[in-house]
Amino acid sequence: MAATAPTSRSREQPAGDEEATSDLKLGEFQNVPTLTLSEARVLINAVMDRRKQQRKVEETETLVKTLDYLDVFARFKQKENIEAVERMLVGHDELELFERSQLGDLFLRLTLLDDGGSLCCETSEEAKTLIPSLANKISDIDLQELLDEISKLRNFTE
């Protein structure tokens, strides 16, 4: 029997070994500050407002789509709440910068899983399931306290 030709090209393996599992491996991005979606939304809107004042606005299709995405998916809309979440997370030196931003957006991801928008992370066990690298870095009690504080800032009417 004759060998058949491959139906697709072989994929090139990614250069880095980045993975966000129980053993967080971020390669060159290991200690790089990251933003939550809410922080990114505030930052991009501030830059856009400044450019509009200077009449240097160039709204590309990518920028418009990014802003639309952030408007829909950023969990916290008010700057005060975003800053409060950041203040809570910055005090946890045991967490990687990436993990802090993931915790800041955690409620968004859980809310999207439920069509009614009522599902939210209630336990540290759920958080550790969604962010496996937290498992050996923060106690369940400390994580639960942090989740409870972030939950208080959630305001579905934002």
Side-chain angles (χ1 to χ4, degrees), residues 46-59:
V47 169
M48 291 304 298
D49 289 345
R50 185 166 185 196
R51 287 182 180 173
K52 285 177 185 175
Q53 290 174 351
Q54 297 173 348
R55 295 180 181 14
K56 295 182 181 179
V57 178
E58 184 181 330
E59 289 191 10

Side-chain angles (χ1 to χ4, degrees), residues 82-115:
I82 296 167
E83 290 170 349
V85 170
E86 178 62 22
R87 280 191 303 274
M88 280 184 244
L89 294 172
V90 79
H92 289 274
D93 295 333
E94 71 275 19
L95 301 178
E96 297 283 341
L97 298 172
F98 173 79
E99 293 164 330
R100 293 180 199 168
S101 66
Q102 293 297 298
L103 278 171
D105 284 331
L106 186 61
F107 290 101
L108 161 72
R109 288 195 301 270
L110 289 169
T111 300
L112 293 175
L113 292 174
D114 179 38
D115 291 337

Side-chain angles (χ1 to χ4, degrees), residues 2 13 25 30 36 51 57 59-60 62 70 74 76 80 92 101 103 107-108 121 123 126 129-130 142 144 147 154-155:
Q13 292 296 330
K25 296 179 188 174
Q30 190 67 36
T36 65
R51 287 182 180 173
V57 178
E59 289 191 10
T60 64
T62 303
L70 293 172
F76 299 102
E80 297 79 24
H92 289 274
S101 66
L103 278 171
F107 290 101
L108 161 72
C121 187
T123 68
E126 290 173 322
T129 299
L130 291 169
D142 289 342
Q144 189 61 53
L147 293 173
R154 249 188 355 181
N155 181 356

